[in-house]
Amino acid sequence: MLQKKRKKRSKWVKDWKLNRNFSDIQLLRELEENNPDDYRNYLRMDSQDFKLLLELIGPKIEKQNTVMRMAITAEERLIATLRFLATGRSYEDLKFSTCISAPSLSYIIPETCKEIFEALKKDYMKFPTSKEEWQDISIGFQNRWQFVNCGGSIDGKHIRILQPPGTGAQFYNYKGFYSIVLMAVVNSNYEFIYVDVGKNGRLSDGGVIECTEFYKSLKEEKLQIPNNDDTVNNLNFVFLGDEAFALHEHILKPYSQRELTHEKRVFNYRLSRARNCVENTFGLISSRFRLLQRAINLNPEKASYAVLAICAIHNFLRKRGGPYVTSTMFDRQEDTNILKNGEWRENINNELLGLQCTRQKNVSTEAKVNRDNYMHFFNNQGSVDFQEDMVKAGRA
């Protein structure tokens, strides 16, 4: 077979890429000085947050200059990556604003995404490892959402990708597109405490969680969660899910809409109210990082690191406490106890596709009894003043 003759390069790099006087960096210098709101919109963070992030990952992505050319700086690499996550633009499009070639971006951006996640996960996405840390999370749910003994809200979303070559229907999901699954546990402050990304979209949705380290540790009783002697009303310590998840003695889900009693409606309302924080967290990252609103043109491993980087940056900005998000971005209950939609819902493209509901068989007696115990608690000593009005208004 005749090999195609490679076209001889006329230049090592094009002049306009060498002369970076009109690249993102010059624009950001101007915005930082005169238009900080536009700077924040451009990178999804203000200049102080950017400088700290660059300080954290700069040494890991910095490259040495050679005798042939100057290396692309760590600052340029981080800016290109943040812009990619914020917009979802293609490499061919980004090369004009970054003055970095598309082939270079194709390895710079995945590498930087991986380093962002690795640098931030320890301090900004720490998974609880003791009873005391789990109790701190449960206090947040109790104070903010009046839900006791809760270690987090669980949900999963399909992240759209282009079909990976040679995979057939492996990543083809029930909605008719190719995807990987983002599974997460979120605390009461809209922060990720656990994320798992990369399971193929063709897996049974309700079974995706069973493939995660979180669920395996929960099932094997290795999570170090509080025992019943340390919980309110001696109830099981629990995590909150929706209809897509199987009922478990430590995972609560709503009662079926069939044959709902008033007491079950109250329970469903209280669970939905506390679980709403994970839905809002997904809605916010989709609104802020528009890569999630389109099919990601990366292989599954690189796409997974892009999503992990987004989750880590979200936590980083939440903990920094800056203007990344305002209270009106989230769903909120006002003085009248009427739930008002957050601003992220204004764009219907912000909402990621959820998991398919699970038809569970052979639910354990312990799991059913645990949910019933919570139902009785919320209808008696654990009741709140507004729950009856909300149930009557059809919020459950």
Side-chain angles (χ1 to χ4, degrees):
M1 182 182 294
L2 293 175
Q3 287 187 336
K4 185 177 180 181
K5 188 175 181 180
R6 175 177 286 187
K7 184 178 179 181
K8 187 177 180 180
R9 277 188 175 187
S10 59
K11 292 184 179 181
W12 177 260
V13 62
K14 294 179 180 177
D15 292 339
W16 67 270
K17 292 177 183 176
L18 285 174
N19 181 12
R20 292 175 178 163
N21 293 329
F22 54 92
S23 69
D24 283 332
I25 289 184
Q26 282 66 41
L27 173 61
L28 287 170
R29 299 281 188 272
E30 172 70 21
L31 295 179
E32 181 181 6
E33 184 175 349
N34 299 309
N35 302 94
D37 289 341
D38 289 336
Y39 184 105
R40 190 180 308 116
N41 184 50
Y42 200 78
L43 293 183
R44 301 300 190 258
M45 61 183 68
D46 61 28
S47 59
Q48 295 304 312
D49 291 331
F50 174 78
K51 290 173 183 176
L52 176 57
L53 184 58
L54 180 60
E55 181 181 326
L56 291 172
I57 74 163
K60 297 181 180 181
I61 61 175
E62 190 78 61
K63 307 299 179 182
Q64 290 185 341
N65 296 331
T66 70
V67 295
M68 298 183 66
R69 57 177 176 166
M70 300 290 288
I72 300 169
T73 67
E75 183 179 17
E76 291 170 315
R77 289 165 181 264
L78 182 56
I79 289 172
T81 301
L82 293 177
R83 195 63 184 150
F84 173 75
L85 299 178
T87 64
R89 290 161 55 192
S90 69
Y91 296 155
E92 284 294 330
D93 189 2
L94 280 173
K95 73 179 183 183
F96 295 108
S97 61
T98 61
C99 296
I100 302 173
S101 69
S104 294
L105 289 171
S106 70
Y107 68 80
I108 286 173
I109 288 176
E111 177 192 47
T112 307
C113 284
K114 182 176 180 178
E115 294 299 343
I116 288 173
F117 175 68
E118 294 295 334
L120 297 182
K121 67 178 181 180
K122 181 179 179 181
D123 294 327
Y124 296 95
M125 198 183 289
K126 186 178 184 297
F127 186 72
T129 56
S130 68
K131 179 177 68 176
E132 291 72 25
E133 290 176 343
W134 284 117
Q135 286 175 328
D136 287 342
I137 292 176
S138 71
I139 290 171
F141 275 97
Q142 185 170 348
N143 292 341
R144 178 171 288 190
W145 304 110
Q146 293 76 55
F147 205 105
V148 298
N149 310 325
C150 179
S153 181
I154 308 171
D155 203 0
K157 298 293 183 181
H158 285 278
I159 306 298
R160 189 186 296 264
I161 62 173
L162 294 184
Q163 181 185 10
T167 59
Q170 182 181 357
F171 291 86
Y172 197 69
N173 65 38
Y174 75 102
K175 277 294 187 177
F177 61 85
Y178 297 90
S179 67
I180 55 176
V181 177
L182 165 60
M183 187 68 62
V185 183
V186 171
N187 66 18
S188 63
N189 196 39
Y190 310 100
E191 297 167 354
F192 295 102
I193 60 175
Y194 175 83
V195 289
D196 180 278
V197 189
K199 303 295 187 297
N200 72 73
R202 191 170 181 81
L203 284 174
S204 170
D205 288 328
V208 172
I209 191 173
E210 297 180 8
C211 300
T212 65
E213 290 301 319
F214 165 79
Y215 188 84
K216 292 175 184 177
S217 297
L218 177 64
K219 195 172 182 179
E220 296 171 3
E221 301 182 356
K222 295 180 179 180
L223 284 185
Q224 306 299 322
I225 59 177
N227 57 42
N228 289 28
D229 293 335
D230 299 313
T231 61
V232 175
N233 219 49
N234 300 117
L235 296 166
N236 287 358
F237 197 82
V238 293
F239 299 89
L240 311 182
D242 61 10
E243 294 85 354
F245 299 97
L247 189 65
H248 182 276
E249 57 185 302
H250 291 292
I251 297 179
L252 293 177
K253 63 181 289 186
Y255 286 100
S256 171
Q257 292 297 311
R258 296 171 296 182
E259 301 179 1
L260 278 180
T261 64
H262 177 76
E263 289 76 14
K264 289 180 179 179
R265 290 182 185 277
V266 168
F267 170 84
N268 282 2
Y269 165 68
R270 294 292 296 275
L271 184 145
S272 175
R273 182 172 180 271
R275 206 196 134 272
N276 196 41
C277 57
V278 69
E279 182 180 353
N280 276 260
T281 303
F282 281 136
L284 179 65
I285 64 171
S286 178
S287 174
R288 286 288 187 261
F289 301 97
R290 300 200 171 187
L291 176 69
L292 300 177
Q293 295 184 19
R294 59 196 68 193
I296 303 176
N297 188 16
L298 297 173
N299 68 46
E301 181 181 4
K302 292 180 179 179
S304 296
Y305 272 114
V307 176
L308 287 171
I310 287 172
C311 295
I313 292 170
H314 166 83
N315 274 21
F316 170 74
L317 296 175
R318 286 289 293 164
K319 292 181 184 296
R320 290 276 292 164
Y324 164 65
V325 63
T326 63
S327 59
T328 57
M329 281 298 300
F330 298 121
D331 295 346
R332 58 203 180 277
Q333 195 161 300
E334 299 183 335
D335 295 336
T336 57
N337 292 321
I338 299 299
L339 192 67
K340 188 169 183 179
N341 286 340
E343 293 174 0
W344 68 267
R345 295 185 184 274
E346 294 177 3
N347 185 344
I348 59 174
N349 291 329
N350 289 349
E351 193 164 0
L352 301 173
L353 178 67
L355 303 184
Q356 194 174 21
C357 295
T358 299
R359 293 183 179 181
Q360 187 180 4
K361 298 179 180 178
N362 302 322
V363 181
S364 71
T365 301
E366 292 81 1
K368 293 179 180 179
V369 169
N370 177 55
R371 182 168 63 177
D372 289 343
N373 288 340
Y374 270 93
M375 177 191 68
H376 294 310
F377 175 77
F378 288 134
N379 279 279
N380 294 284
Q381 63 267 44
S383 64
V384 292
D385 295 337
F386 52 83
Q387 68 185 31
E388 295 294 330
D389 292 337
M390 298 301 287
V391 170
K392 290 178 182 178
R395 296 287 179 176

